[in-house]
Amino acid sequence: MQNYQSAVCITFDLDIETAWVVGKPENAKRPALMSLAHYAPRVGVPLILSLLERLDVEGTFFVPGKSAEDFPETVEEIIAKGHEIAIHGYTHD
């Protein structure tokens, strides 16, 4: 049996609502769309962090500045779990 090794970079984009609102501010008035956008920090990130912890893997989360301002507790949780935060613009533009 051969022993294979490889390097892997695991990254996540935590855009939240910025990807839909930049250039289309009217989207901020669409509750269903904003609910979908807020799934990531409230449900998705905790699930991802749990998986990464089980696998003992570190990840990088690319976060727009606006998302970090709106959901600082999510960014703090990512950092507390030992993952990297990388900038992703201010409003995903």
Side-chain angles (χ1 to χ4, degrees):
M1 179 192 290
Q2 293 184 358
N3 183 12
Y4 292 100
Q5 293 183 349
S6 65
V8 176
C9 183
I10 299 177
T11 67
F12 304 91
D13 287 359
L14 186 58
D15 300 329
I16 306 178
E17 66 216 25
T18 60
W20 291 307
V21 175
V22 170
K24 294 185 178 185
E26 66 276 7
N27 281 343
K29 297 178 184 173
R30 297 178 58 195
L33 186 58
M34 291 301 96
S35 176
L36 176 64
H38 291 188
Y39 177 90
R42 294 185 174 136
V43 179
V45 169
L47 290 171
I48 291 169
L49 292 175
S50 176
L51 175 64
L52 294 175
E53 186 174 7
R54 278 196 326 265
L55 298 174
D56 193 27
V57 172
E58 294 177 9
T60 300
F61 289 75
F62 287 88
V63 184
K66 178 76 169 107
S67 297
E69 286 179 352
D70 292 345
F71 294 89
E73 66 283 350
T74 301
V75 174
E76 290 167 7
E77 183 180 7
I78 292 167
I79 293 168
K81 298 284 185 174
H83 303 286
E84 178 182 39
I85 298 291
I87 192 66
H88 195 43
Y90 179 72
T91 56
H92 199 274
D93 55 352

